[in-house]
Amino acid sequence: VQLQASGGGLVQAGGFLRLSCAASGRTFSSYHMGWFRQAPGKEREFVAAISWGDGDTYYADSVKGRFTISVDNAKNTVLVQMNSLKPEDTALYYCAAAPRLSDSALAYHYWGQGTEVTVSS
């Protein structure tokens, strides 16, 4: 499974961004997809996850109600719409693929490169 993340940028607090993760490889549709983020000096943390097959979703409490994860099956892409962004959302965001829906980075076997999100106050 190969993953390519994009869509990061600089935005003011209260603004929005949409991150994309393009997946490829023979068996990517059998995996569950997640987004994680890592701010400077902090550990990587879970953001959201979705089951590619049935669309089940799972969110970190810190983003619930502001972020929405979805899949675009036609484009083999996982999206995360990030609204009402806060300065504390500033981080390098990674997409990843796991054989089960999980909020633990240890469960994810494949990782894309990060895409940087900066939210100014």
Side-chain angles (χ1 to χ4, degrees), residues 87-121:
E88 50 264 44
D89 294 318
T90 295
L92 197 58
Y93 283 72
Y94 298 88
C95 61
R100 58 183 175 86
L101 203 62
S102 175
D103 62 355
S104 171
L106 296 176
Y108 289 79
H109 296 180
Y110 301 97
W111 292 81
Q113 90 295 355
T115 184
E116 190 166 3
V117 172
T118 303
V119 184
S120 63
S121 57

Side-chain angles (χ1 to χ4, degrees), residues 64-80:
K64 202 172 292 183
R66 299 189 298 122
F67 290 13
T68 303
I69 190 170
S70 62
V71 296
D72 182 337
N73 287 297
K75 296 181 180 180
N76 299 335
T77 298
V78 178
L79 307 168
V80 60

Side-chain angles (χ1 to χ4, degrees), residues 24-105:
S24 61
R26 191 172 57 182
T27 61
F28 71 87
S29 60
S30 65
Y31 283 82
H32 302 278
M33 303 298 297
W35 284 93
F36 288 77
R37 65 187 182 187
Q38 187 165 18
K42 295 187 177 181
E43 294 187 354
R44 189 170 298 191
E45 66 172 357
F46 171 75
V47 175
I50 188 167
S51 172
W52 203 291
D54 57 22
D56 281 350
T57 58
Y58 186 22
Y59 294 95
D61 288 343
S62 60
V63 306
K64 202 172 292 183
R66 299 189 298 122
F67 290 13
T68 303
I69 190 170
S70 62
V71 296
D72 182 337
N73 287 297
K75 296 181 180 180
N76 299 335
T77 298
V78 178
L79 307 168
V80 60
Q81 179 69 36
M82 308 188 298
N83 297 329
S84 302
L85 284 162
K86 305 175 181 180
E88 50 264 44
D89 294 318
T90 295
L92 197 58
Y93 283 72
Y94 298 88
C95 61
R100 58 183 175 86
L101 203 62
S102 175
D103 62 355
S104 171

